[in-house]
Structure formats: structure tokens, C-alpha cells
């Protein structure tokens, strides 16, 4: 079915053709920020639903000059990038080399496919978190023949030294930690609006890049072969476009593949929630009362970690299936209003908007910690805190005290943005799984014959999920059991998989499933 590293799976390596089942769904949001030379203040409702003030704070140790005002060149004389400091490239390169050790599937893909160049001619524009793990993905795509231009999907998650290393290697990267909203859209525009270069593939995390091209450069979609999207927020946006009949290219929903949901969303958040909270607050978890809003895969990971540390965990949930799972896992299911006065920590994991409102914030007890583990900064109504009667006090990077007139204060982390990637790091091995799935989805869409994919949103097949998982098993010296012919016949399965039907999900899927093969 797809490529293999050593043994063939079902088709010869150069045939990058995979069958995907399709389906449909909705649309969601992104951050805002006051900045200079605004490209578009009202570009979309999704980009103006929330407000941030990152530019109003500057760490004394940071260079206050905006990267947009600097003239920088890499060692090859290129200035087609905009990063904080190109001189940090050596440090970033070391971080990338460390990440490579924990991303075995991407490294194997790079080694196995480098001669084939399955992405030769691909011009990929990306908008994701720019971390050492993303750098390994980008360099893998480059090794497979693609040209890439990249911006960040979050104003706080960029590792400046990694961005510098990528720029030094010749990748046009436009990102730095602490961008204003104006900077955010400017960077995306610099990736897309380039004389003599037009993208034919999109890799998005949150849907902002896709949204920008739709609003500003819709004619570009005539040459774009497909979109690969990895976040809940971005997938909602794609399904809404599809439902409205406005999706004009095929799109791959990577988020709802089992290897993304079960691993990136669950196991990644199970480890990184504690890391983010510890780095920002130095708090002790034992005995603390925590409410986690949402019991999807992200919420499950957060709850499991906090429970293991001795916290008393409450859960809010709208879905009765997820709610029942929370109860069966030993968590108390509540409405936020019932516990808001007593909890020590509030964590949002829903992908929704206004989950924590100003009314909730007013009722929180002194020193309550408020943070978000969802992609967008729409879950906590941070904009409602920007009023004259409240005082904002910067404690440390990404940590603010918001102080009420009576002296009560809450601790707001990352101004309501994604906690783990804004305030800490995430496990590299888990990102290897997601990045490998993204790379294979790009390969499939780019090489698919005309007509295989319609202007719709497609799910990855179980065969690809299983294949990505199998590439990571050797790390654990794990040995899979193989079905006998008799067992395979009894179960009605192929001995080599897939072992689950295409409609199988680790949880009830977000969108309504469509079965059957595309094209």
C-alpha cells in the first residue's frame, strides 16, 4: 500500500498511492493581537475573536529591535527569511540533531526515499509550530525533493535558535517568539506572496495559512494540489468550508487519524501539561483541586497526569460519551459554575470559545492558575480582562498576574494560548508519529492521479495508521505477533492488515464518517 523501509508492504516503493476514506465537518478560530502596519484587522472573525498583549511586554534580556527591522543574511548570502537572530543558528542545529535521535520514522523515510524524490517539484508552504521537531520534518521534506517556505502558527511557540538554524540551511522561515498579531499575518504573507514562487501544497496547523490564502490569494488554489491539516481547529475550518461548498482542493484530516489522536493528543499532553505548569509556576500538584474543561484525548491526558500526581480532578464535558468515560475513569463530572470558587487550577481542552468567561474569572479564588491546552486562544475570554479596573503584572515570561480592585489575583499562563508549546516543550518521540503521518499525507496528495480525490476532506486509512505505528516499534525492541492463515481467515482479515475497519476511532470521531474509497 505504501512505502516500506526494508520490506515491501503491498506495492513497489515508487508508487506513492494510498486509498483514503472520506468524510465531512465544520470550522473554528485563531489569535489576535494589536501590532503595527496591520495587513488586515478584520481578515476574519476567527482571527479577531481574542486579544493578546505580547508586544506590551519585553524581557530586559531580549533585543527589542523587531526582526522585521533587521537586515540579516545567512552564510550563503541569502536574506529570504526573518528570524530573531541568525547568529543563533549553531545552537539551533544542535537541538535539531538531538530531535533526530527521537524521530526514527522520519529519519528512516529520509534515508529510504531520498533517491526516489517523491516530492520533487513540490512547493510546500507550511504554518506550524517551529520547533526542533518541525525542523526535522522540514529537512525530511527537503530531502524528498520539496521546496518549503514556513511561518509559525502560534506567536509564542517558535524556538528562535531553531528558526535561525533553518534559515542558515536555506529554508525561508518567517517566525520568532513573541510576534504581534500584525507580525503573525505578515510572516504568513511573506511565505505566500513571493515573486516567481507559488505553493502547490499546504501543510497547516490551525487553518490560518489556508484561511489567509482563501481571503487574499484565492487564485493560488488553481495550482494547489491539496491541504494537510493536523489540528482540531483547522479540521473544523476545513469541514465548514466543505459544507459551504467553498473547499476547492482536496484536504487530508490528519488530526482524526488514530496515531494523532491517541498519541500526539493523549500521550503528549499527559507529559507536557505537568512540564508547562511546573516551568511557569513551580507549583506542587499534590492535593490541588483542578478542573479540566473537556475530556477528549487532550483532556484525558491532562487528567491522567494530574491524578497520578495526587491532584483532585474535576471534569466538565458536553458529550455524554466522553462524560461517561470521565466518570468510569474516576473523575467527578461537574459544571464549571459548581467548582469555580474552590479550584486551584483551571485548564481548558475543548477547542471551543468562551469556555471560561469573565463571570467565571470574577468568581475564581485568589491565586487560581488559568491556562489553555487547546490550539487557539479562544477558550478563555482574555479580552474581557483588558479593562481599566484590572491591573496586569508580568511575573516572568508567559506568566501574568491579573489583579482585581480588592487585591484578588489570578495567574494567567501564555495569555490563554497553548500552554505546552508556549511555555515548555513536548516529547519529540510523539511528534515523530504525527510528523511521519503528515509527510506521508503530503506525498499521497501530491502524487495522486487526477480525479482520485475530490474537493473534500479525507481521512487517513487504518493501513497508514498501522504503518506509521509499526515504524516506531523497533525503538522499543517490540515484536509483533503474526496471524496464521487460519486465524486471518477466521477474523476475515488480511494477515498484513489493516486490522481495524476504516471507520474505527479510538473515540467517537468528531465528524460524521463516510466510508468507501475516494475517486
Amino acid at each position: 500500500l505504501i512505502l516500506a523501509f526494508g520490506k515491501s508492504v503491498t506495492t513497489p516503493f515508487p508508487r506513492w498511492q494510498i486509498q483514503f476514506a472520506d468524510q465531512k465537518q465544520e470550522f473554528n478560530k485563531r489569535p489576535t493581537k494589536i501590532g503595527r502596519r496591520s495587513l488586515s484587522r478584520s481578515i476574519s472573525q476567527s482571527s479577531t475573536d481574542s486579544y493578546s498583549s505580547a508586544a506590551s511586554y519585553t524581557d530586559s534580556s531580549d533585543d527589542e529591535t523587531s526582526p522585521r527591522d533587521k537586515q540579516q543574511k545567512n552564510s550563503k548570502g541569502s536574506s529570504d527569511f526573518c528570524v530573531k537572530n541568525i547568529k543563533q543558528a549553531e545552537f539551533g542545529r544542535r537541538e535539531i540533531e538531538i530531535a533526530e535521535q527521537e524521530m526514527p520514522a522520519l529519519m528512516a523515510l529520509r534515508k529510504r526515499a531520498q533517491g526516489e524524490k517523491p516530492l520533487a517539484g513540490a512547493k510546500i508552504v507550511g504554518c506550524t509550530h517551529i520547533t526542533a521537531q518541525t525542523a526535522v520534518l522540514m529537512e525530511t521534506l527537503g530531502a524528498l525533493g520539496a521546496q518549503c517556505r514556513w511561518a509559525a502558527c502560534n506567536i509564542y511557540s517558535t524556538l528562535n535558535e531553531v528558526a535561525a538554524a533553518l534559515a542558515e540551511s536555506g529554508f525561508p522561515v518567517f517566525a520568532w517568539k513573541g510576534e504581534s498579531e500584525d507580525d503573525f499575518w505578515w510572516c504568513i504573507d511573506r511565505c505566500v506572496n513571493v515573486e516567481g514562487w507559488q505553493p502547490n501544497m499546504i501543510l497547516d496547523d490551525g487553518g490560518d495559512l489556508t484561511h489567509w490564502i482563501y481571503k487574499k490569494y484565492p487564485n493560488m488554489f488553481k495550482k494547489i494540489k491539496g491541504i494537510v491539516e493536523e489540528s482540531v481547529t483547522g479540521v473544523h475550518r476545513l469541514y465548514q468550508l466543505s459544507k459551504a461548498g467553498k473547499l476547492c482542493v482536496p484536504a487530508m484530516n490528519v488530526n482524526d487519524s488514530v496515531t494523532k489522536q491517541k498519541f500526539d493528543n493523549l500521550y503528549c499532553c499527559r507529559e507536557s501539561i505537568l512540564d508547562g505548569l511546573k516551568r511557569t509556576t513551580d507549583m506542587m500538584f499534590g492535593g490541588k483541586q483542578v478542573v479540566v474543561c473537556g475530556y477528549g484525548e487532550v483532556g484525558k491526558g491532562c487528567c491522567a497526569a494530574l491524578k497520578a500526581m495526587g491532584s483532585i480532578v474535576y471534569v466538565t464535558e458536553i458529550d455524554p460519551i466522553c462524560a461517561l468515560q470521565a466518570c468510569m475513569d474516576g473523575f467527578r463530572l461537574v459544571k464549571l459554575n459548581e467548582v469555580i470558587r474552590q479550584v486551584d487550577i483551571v485548564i481548558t481542552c475543548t477547542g471551543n470559545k468562551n469556555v471560561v468567561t469573565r463571570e467565571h474569572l470574577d468568581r475564581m479564588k485568589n491565586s487560581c492558575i488559568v491556562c489553555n491546552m487547546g490550539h487557539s486562544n479562544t477558550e478563555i475570554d482574555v479580552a474581557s480582562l483588558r479593562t481599566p479596573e484590572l491591573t496586569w503584572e508580568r511575573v516572568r515570561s508567559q506568566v501574568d498576574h491579573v489583579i482585581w480592585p480588592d487585591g484578588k489575583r489570578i495567574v494567567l499562563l501564555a495569555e490563554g494560548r497553548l500552554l505546552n508549546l508556549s511555555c515548555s516543550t513536548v516529547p519529540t518521540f510523539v511528534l515523530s508519529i504525527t510528523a511521519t503521518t503528515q509527510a506521508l499525507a503530503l506525498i499521497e496528495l501530491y502524487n495522486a492521479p487526477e480525479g482520485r480525490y475530490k474537493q473534500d476532506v479525507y481521512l487517513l486509512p487504518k493501513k497508514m495508521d498501522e504503518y506509521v505505528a509499526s515504524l516506531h516499534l523497533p525503538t522499543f525492541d517490540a515484536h509483533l505477533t503474526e496471524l496464521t492463515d487460519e486465524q486471518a481467515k477466521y477474523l476475515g482479515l488480511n494477515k498484513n492488515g489493516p486490522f481495524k475497519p476504516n471507520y474505527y476511532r479510538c473515540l467517537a470521531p468528531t465528524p460524521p464518517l463516510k466510508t468507501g474509497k475516494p475517486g
Side-chain angles (χ1 to χ4, degrees):
L1 179 67
I2 42 182
L3 58 153
F5 312 136
K7 295 181 180 179
S8 62
V9 182
T10 55
T11 58
F13 178 77
R15 290 186 59 198
W16 305 88
Q17 298 178 2
I18 308 162
Q19 295 294 320
F20 290 75
D22 54 17
Q23 86 186 63
K24 300 193 175 203
Q25 205 193 3
E26 318 146 43
F27 206 72
N28 211 354
K29 312 243 170 294
R30 161 72 257 142
T32 8
K33 175 105 185 41
I34 288 181
R36 54 196 182 105
R37 304 195 300 270
S38 180
L39 286 170
S40 175
R41 185 57 191 161
S42 58
I43 185 67
S44 75
Q45 182 62 32
S46 68
S47 67
T48 55
D49 265 9
S50 53
Y51 177 86
S52 168
S53 68
S56 62
Y57 303 103
T58 304
D59 293 337
S60 58
S61 60
D62 287 345
D63 178 3
E64 296 186 24
T65 305
S66 168
R68 292 167 65 173
D69 297 328
K70 294 180 180 179
Q71 297 294 324
Q72 300 186 81
K73 291 184 178 181
N74 63 18
S75 61
K76 301 175 185 65
S78 173
S79 59
D80 188 17
F81 63 87
C82 191
V83 299
K84 186 71 173 178
N85 186 353
I86 191 65
K87 294 179 181 178
Q88 296 178 335
E90 186 178 347
F91 297 102
R93 177 52 53 191
R94 293 171 189 169
E95 293 191 30
I96 294 169
E97 289 170 353
I98 293 172
E100 288 175 347
Q101 307 308 309
E102 278 280 284
M103 305 188 82
L106 275 184
M107 300 307 291
L109 175 60
R110 189 185 300 185
K111 183 178 180 180
R112 175 69 176 89
Q114 200 162 9
E116 300 292 339
K117 301 290 185 185
L119 290 174
K123 296 181 178 179
I124 302 170
V125 61
C127 183
T128 66
H129 302 285
I130 297 182
T131 62
Q133 297 81 17
T134 300
V136 178
L137 171 61
M138 290 171 63
E139 293 186 342
T140 299
L141 297 176
L144 301 186
Q147 297 178 29
C148 300
R149 298 182 69 86
W150 228 264
C153 67
N154 184 295
I155 67 171
Y156 288 141
S157 63
T158 298
L159 296 180
N160 287 330
E161 63 275 18
V162 171
L166 286 167
E168 173 59 31
S169 296
F171 286 91
V173 173
F174 300 86
W176 58 92
K177 191 178 184 72
E179 299 168 1
S180 68
E181 183 199 321
D182 181 71
D183 293 331
F184 174 83
W185 293 113
W186 179 86
C187 288
I188 289 178
D189 194 71
R190 284 293 306 272
C191 284
V192 176
N193 185 18
V194 188
E195 187 176 350
W197 193 94
Q198 180 174 322
N200 53 26
M201 294 295 297
I202 294 173
L203 178 57
D204 214 351
D205 184 352
D208 291 303
L209 171 60
T210 303
H211 168 74
W212 184 260
I213 295 175
Y214 263 105
K215 290 294 183 180
K216 301 291 285 186
Y217 310 105
N219 287 334
M220 282 191 177
F221 281 102
K222 293 177 181 178
K223 292 188 177 181
I224 289 175
K225 291 190 173 186
I227 302 166
V228 174
E229 170 60 57
E230 73 151 319
S231 75
V232 173
T233 300
V235 165
H236 277 277
R237 291 178 164 191
L238 289 174
Y239 281 117
Q240 185 169 358
L241 281 175
S242 179
K243 187 175 181 180
K246 295 180 179 179
L247 185 63
C248 54
V249 295
M252 287 290 180
N253 168 5
V254 170
N255 179 72
D256 284 304
S257 61
V258 176
T259 43
K260 170 64 165 64
Q261 286 278 344
K262 202 69 173 176
F263 294 87
D264 197 335
N265 292 14
L266 174 62
Y267 297 120
C268 175
C269 295
R270 190 176 71 181
E271 296 194 18
S272 60
I273 179 63
L274 301 180
D275 188 18
L277 287 169
K278 280 285 189 186
R279 291 197 198 198
T280 50
T281 66
D282 304 313
M283 69 174 302
M284 189 168 185
F285 298 107
K288 293 294 193 301
Q289 296 193 55
V290 186
V291 59
V292 176
C293 302
Y295 201 67
E297 293 302 314
V298 172
K300 284 180 174 65
C302 293
C303 288
L306 291 161
K307 181 179 181 180
M309 295 300 290
S311 298
I312 301 163
V313 183
Y314 303 96
V315 172
T316 72
E317 183 51 73
I318 62 167
D319 181 340
I321 296 174
C322 293
L324 183 58
Q325 287 181 310
C327 293
M328 296 291 282
D329 288 337
F331 300 108
R332 174 84 184 277
L333 189 75
V334 298
K335 292 183 177 181
L336 187 56
N337 283 332
E338 298 170 359
V339 296
I340 197 64
R341 288 187 183 276
Q342 68 194 60
V343 293
D344 302 291
I345 311 172
V346 178
I347 304 170
T348 54
C349 313
T350 70
N352 206 340
K353 65 176 291 187
N354 293 336
V355 176
V356 176
T357 65
R358 175 61 188 268
E359 181 184 356
H360 294 129
L361 295 160
D362 285 338
R363 295 177 61 204
M364 289 176 184
K365 72 179 188 182
N366 186 49
S367 297
C368 182
I369 297 168
V370 186
C371 62
N372 168 47
M373 285 289 284
H375 178 84
S376 293
N377 62 330
T378 55
E379 303 197 35
I380 302 165
D381 187 8
V382 176
S384 69
L385 299 176
R386 309 247 178 233
T387 53
E389 76 272 14
L390 300 182
T391 302
W392 283 63
E393 182 179 87
R394 174 54 55 100
V395 181
R396 59 172 69 159
S397 179
Q398 321 313 349
V399 182
D400 290 296
H401 282 171
V402 183
I403 307 168
W404 269 250
D406 63 358
K408 184 199 89 167
R409 64 183 62 199
I410 64 167
V411 182
L412 180 63
L413 305 182
E415 298 185 16
R417 287 182 164 80
L418 184 58
L419 172 69
N420 54 5
L421 279 154
S422 296
C423 300
S424 62
T425 59
V426 293
T428 300
F429 187 79
V430 155
L431 294 186
S432 175
I433 299 170
T434 300
T436 304
T437 307
Q438 290 173 312
L440 295 177
L442 286 165
I443 289 169
E444 167 59 16
L445 276 181
Y446 181 69
N447 291 277
E450 190 78 26
R452 169 175 288 183
Y453 297 105
K454 312 299 182 188
Q455 296 172 354
D456 208 344
V457 185
Y458 293 86
L459 284 174
L460 300 174
K462 284 298 148 299
K463 185 66 176 177
M464 175 171 280
D465 268 332
E466 292 168 2
Y467 179 63
V468 172
S470 71
L471 294 176
H472 290 83
L473 289 175
T475 301
F476 304 100
D477 192 25
H479 305 278
L480 278 174
T481 301
E482 296 182 7
L483 291 174
T484 65
D485 291 337
E486 183 182 6
Q487 289 172 326
K489 183 177 180 181
Y490 178 78
L491 294 173
L493 297 174
N494 185 302
K495 290 177 64 174
N496 298 315
F499 300 98
K500 294 288 192 295
N502 209 49
Y503 54 80
Y504 169 82
R505 289 292 175 274
C506 49
L507 274 181
T510 315
L513 283 167
K514 288 198 309 185
T515 57
K517 295 181 179 180

